[in-house]
Structure formats: structure tokens, C-alpha cells
Amino acid sequence: MSQQVPSDSSNSKISLATLQDKKDCSDPIVAVTAYDYPTARVADAAGVDLILVGDSLAMVVLGYENTLPVTMDEMLHHCRAVARGSKRAFMTGDMPFLSYQVDVSEAVRNAGRFLSDAGMDSVKLEGGRRMASTVRAIVEAGIPVMGHIGLTPQAIHQLGGFRVQGRSSNTARALLDDAIALEKAGCFAIVLEAVPGRVATLISEWLNVPTIGIGAGSGCDGQVLVSNDLLGLFDRFTPRFVKKYSNLRVEMLNAFERYRDEVGRRDFPGAEHTFGIPDDEWQTFIDSLEDLRPSGKHS
Ligand code: KIV
């Protein structure tokens, strides 16, 4: 009788095909952002399908006001850390402001660096129809591209702030046209950010590629959240669409305060945190000090 081979499908690397199979499926794509090795390891262990190294790095990790200042080098540095921590999840690196808007060949080269220098499986960029030719060129270079429309934070100055998009019939139609153009250009998935639920559901039903929503209701093919938001680590502001699954800021504050107090009282480190030296070695060491300390402070 042949032996049963245990299925390891839950541990095998998530591929583009796995993500695409989740289109219209009862099992949505679960995505989170991560920016470092420990977070990537935990997200991977939790079984998320996709880790996005978002340019939200600029705000939630590097402390900038918005996402515009983060550079290619900073993004790649954090992508490498995430790639070392994640074994299973599909990984997407977010192309930062001005790394793809200026010139198509520069965009292809920068996109390629996310794969060749930083271990990512794909890239994401913001913008709809006006980015279609850039998306096409990157996809033709063999690099999977995720689109991102709706609230596109790199266009914050054009959008007039972090505002919901697609609330009028015209802007809702523009979003659908953008989504169709990105799909035709070859995007493997499209993020819909801060879009009314009904509009996001219609776009999701219209497209053949999966949509991944953030503030776009439950009708998308997947969901993404910024990990620092869902973990309760980012306290500058919390968008309405965020659900906090933890309050790590409070946990961390509590831990740092207890550490501060214990060090202050000399309760930490205790004997269990302190290394010993054998008595005979100690005595020989002390004896060797005699010539240095004629007054003999130690015995
Ligand atoms: O940068 C980011 O984290 C993102 C997500 C919000 C989709 O683009």
C-alpha cells in the first residue's frame, strides 16, 4: 500500500496563479504591509497571501508627513529585510514617487531592481490610464505589476488630501476606466483605496484580475491593511477604514516603562540575566591585580 504524502500546500510559496485563482472566489486574498524582517516573519507565519512593502514606510516607519520623500534606496533596503523574513507570501515592492513617473525606461529599470536587488516578486505603482503605457513596458520586461487607483497618496497635492475618491458618477466612471486600462496594460491585480463600497464592487465584478481593497468595502477580491495601523502602532491618525486588531503601542509603552523602572530600581538585570566566572578564575584574576593596586581594594 502506498504511503499517504502529507499535503504541504499551505506552506508552499504563493504564486501569481494562486492569487489569480482567488478572483471571484469565496477565499479572498489577504494582504498586509511589512517593512522589516520580524514583521515579515510573523505575517508569513500567520498565513497572509501577500506582503506589500508599501511606500507608507515613509509615514509609519520613517516619520515623514506623507509618502513623497521616500527614496528607491530606502524602499529597496526595507524590501530586502522583508524578503529575508518571508518564505511563503507573494511579495510586492511599492515604487516610490518619481521612480516611474519621469520616463518609461527609468521606470522599467527601477521596477527591475525590486526583483533583482531586493528579492521582491512584483512591484506596485499608483495611477490609472496615464500610467498604462508604463505598466505595459514593465510587464513586457517580465515584471508583474499591481495597479493602485482611488486615493493614491503620491498624488496627495492633486487630490487635496487623503480623501475618498469616486463619489460622483463622473469620478466613479473615471475609476472604472482607469481599472480597465490597467487590466489591459497587464496588471495582475489592482488596489482600490478609499473608494465607495458599491463602486469598488462594480469594478471588481467588471474586471478579470483580482481587486484588493483598502477602505473599499467587502466586495473586492482581497483586502490589504497597513500593518502598523492594524497592530495599533501608528498613532498620528487612524483612517476610518482601519480596524485595529491589537494595541501594540500600549503594549510597547508598558514594556519600556517597566524596563525603565526596573533598571532605575536595580531590579534588572537579575542573577538569571548575569553571566558567572568560576571562583578559581576569579581569585586568580583578583590576585593578578595586586601589583596594580598596592592599597589592595579587592580581596
Ligand atoms: O503604501 C502602502 O502601504 C499602500 C497600501 C495602503 C495599499 O499603498
Side-chain angles (χ1 to χ4, degrees), residues 28 192 200-201 204 211-214 216-223:
L192 304 178
T201 302
S204 304
T211 57
I212 302 182
I214 172 163
S218 61
C220 297
D221 304 296
Q223 296 293 327

Side-chain angles (χ1 to χ4, degrees), residues 123-274:
V123 297
K124 174 169 88 55
L125 55 80
E126 297 181 6
R129 282 159 287 177
R130 65 201 160 89
M131 280 302 146
S133 53
T134 304
V135 168
R136 191 167 293 112
I138 298 174
V139 171
E140 278 170 5
I143 302 162
V145 180
M146 178 188 281
H148 181 165
I149 57 173
L151 198 182
T152 46
Q154 290 176 17
I156 184 177
H157 296 306
Q158 256 174 357
L159 302 178
F162 293 99
R163 293 165 187 273
V164 178
Q165 303 295 306
R167 272 188 145 153
S168 68
S169 56
N170 283 342
T171 54
R173 176 60 200 264
L175 281 178
L176 176 62
D177 292 342
D178 281 338
I180 292 170
L182 290 176
E183 172 170 284
K184 282 196 180 136
C187 282
F188 71 86
I190 299 176
V191 169
L192 304 178
E193 179 166 354
V195 172
R198 282 199 282 186
V199 176
T201 302
L202 183 142
I203 294 174
S204 304
E205 286 167 0
W206 207 280
L207 299 183
N208 295 307
V209 294
T211 57
I212 302 182
I214 172 163
S218 61
C220 297
D221 304 296
Q223 296 293 327
V224 61
L225 278 179
V226 168
S227 57
N228 293 45
D229 285 337
L230 85 87
L231 295 172
L233 254 181
F234 184 67
D235 64 338
R236 254 173 39 206
F237 61 88
T238 306
R240 167 169 166 203
F241 55 74
V242 167
K243 179 168 177 184
K244 283 193 186 182
Y245 287 84
S246 185
N247 203 339
L248 285 197
R249 187 182 182 281
V250 170
E251 296 276 320
M252 286 172 73
L253 186 64
N254 192 11
F256 287 140
E257 284 174 349
R258 280 174 44 224
Y259 170 65
R260 182 205 61 202
D261 291 348
E262 289 194 8
V263 171
R265 291 194 306 266
R266 294 195 180 278
D267 285 350
F268 177 85
E272 68 277 30
H273 308 115
T274 307

Side-chain angles (χ1 to χ4, degrees), residues 14-32 47-51 90 92 146 188-191 209-213 220-225:
I14 301 283
S15 65
L16 262 189
T18 325
L19 296 178
Q20 275 162 343
D21 283 351
K22 292 191 175 224
K23 178 74 197 169
D24 297 331
C25 154
S26 58
D27 180 20
I29 296 170
V30 181
V32 286
V48 306
D49 300 308
L50 189 146
I51 295 180
F90 191 80
T92 303
M146 178 188 281
F188 71 86
I190 299 176
V191 169
V209 294
T211 57
I212 302 182
C220 297
D221 304 296
Q223 296 293 327
V224 61
L225 278 179

Side-chain angles (χ1 to χ4, degrees), residues 101-121:
Q101 291 94 337
V102 178
D103 162 305
V104 173
S105 60
E106 195 183 3
V108 174
R109 196 175 308 281
N110 281 331
R113 291 188 66 200
F114 279 89
L115 275 62
S116 61
D117 296 1
M120 293 290 102
D121 302 311

Side-chain angles (χ1 to χ4, degrees), residues 27-102:
D27 180 20
I29 296 170
V30 181
V32 286
T33 67
Y35 316 96
D36 58 31
Y37 173 80
T39 313
R41 273 177 70 89
V42 177
D44 212 55
V48 306
D49 300 308
L50 189 146
I51 295 180
L52 169 67
V53 187
D55 65 350
S56 47
L57 166 75
M59 297 174 72
V60 302
V61 174
L62 302 180
Y64 290 116
E65 272 304 300
N66 55 48
T67 59
L68 302 182
V70 74
T71 64
M72 271 297 291
D73 284 345
E74 287 167 331
M75 288 304 302
L76 295 177
H77 174 78
H78 286 266
C79 285
R80 284 185 204 106
V82 166
R84 287 190 285 269
S86 164
K87 298 285 166 270
R88 177 181 173 274
F90 191 80
M91 290 177 293
T92 303
D94 213 357
M95 297 193 70
F97 183 54
L98 291 189
S99 70
Y100 58 95
Q101 291 94 337
V102 178

